[in-house]
Amino acid sequence: MNRRTKTAVLGLGAALLVTAGATGATWASASASTSASSGERQREAAALTGRAKLYRSAGDDITFSFDAHLAAKDNDDPLKATGTFEWSHYAGGDGAWAKAEVDCLVTGGKVAVVSGVVTDSDLPGAKGKRVGITVHDTGRQDRLGYSWASTGNPVETKDLPKCVGSAPFEKVKKGTGDFTVVPWNPKF
């Protein structure tokens, strides 16, 4: 390598290090929360956020959105998760929507399971029912599953425990959104 090539390679390497450092700092800042007791910034214990439509070849309009969080101070208790999630399913002019209050959030790697109790819905009998949803954040085309997959309706689900969902068998429709999972790191 001649001197000019070495200088260019070193300059490119320094630029990559600066970019990687800035990207890491941005990610850490975006996923951090302030700890009131110490004044330090630390990331949430777990989170599931985002909005997307599911892919259905028949053209059903199915949307899910999540704003579920487990604070760093509650790292040892996923039942202290907070937030909401919503979904709607319409086909041929018929359908329904629902909103649930989070009562549990467990994440592992890029998979999250969130459950909650339906607080508002236009689906008769849905209010007060617990539902669970599983999301796989693949980064390309996320996947999703829901506790009523085998019954076809959240109203038909009986006595669902907290933090139970089905395998993420549905695909998110490309270009409609993206889910983000912050992995949980419990201390065992």
Side-chain angles (χ1 to χ4, degrees), residues 54-76:
L54 297 187
Y55 170 77
R56 287 285 177 90
S57 60
D60 297 32
D61 183 6
I62 306 170
T63 303
F64 282 84
S65 63
F66 301 93
D67 187 21
H69 305 272
L70 181 63
K73 68 181 179 61
D74 296 323
N75 189 56
D76 294 335

Side-chain angles (χ1 to χ4, degrees), residues 75-164:
N75 189 56
D76 294 335
D77 190 355
L79 300 179
K80 290 188 178 178
T82 61
T84 59
F85 56 95
E86 301 178 37
W87 71 96
S88 63
H89 184 169
Y90 294 96
D94 293 323
W97 62 269
K99 180 176 183 176
E101 188 77 25
V102 171
D103 64 11
C104 186
L105 173 66
V106 175
T107 64
K110 293 294 186 176
V111 176
V113 179
V114 64
S115 64
V117 175
V118 176
T119 57
D120 201 9
S121 179
D122 63 354
L123 178 64
K127 286 183 186 177
K129 289 286 192 175
R130 177 173 289 114
V131 294
I133 301 174
T134 305
V135 170
H136 185 196
D137 173 15
T138 68
R140 294 179 310 277
Q141 188 176 20
D142 296 343
R143 300 180 72 90
L144 184 140
Y146 35 86
S147 58
W148 61 93
S150 63
T151 63
N153 182 326
V155 175
E156 303 299 320
T157 304
K158 306 287 186 225
D159 303 320
L160 185 74
K162 293 178 180 179
C163 269
V164 172

Side-chain angles (χ1 to χ4, degrees), residues 31-48:
S31 64
S33 63
T34 302
S35 170
S37 62
S38 67
E40 295 177 4
R41 293 184 59 81
Q42 54 185 211
R43 81 169 185 83
E44 298 178 286
L48 170 59

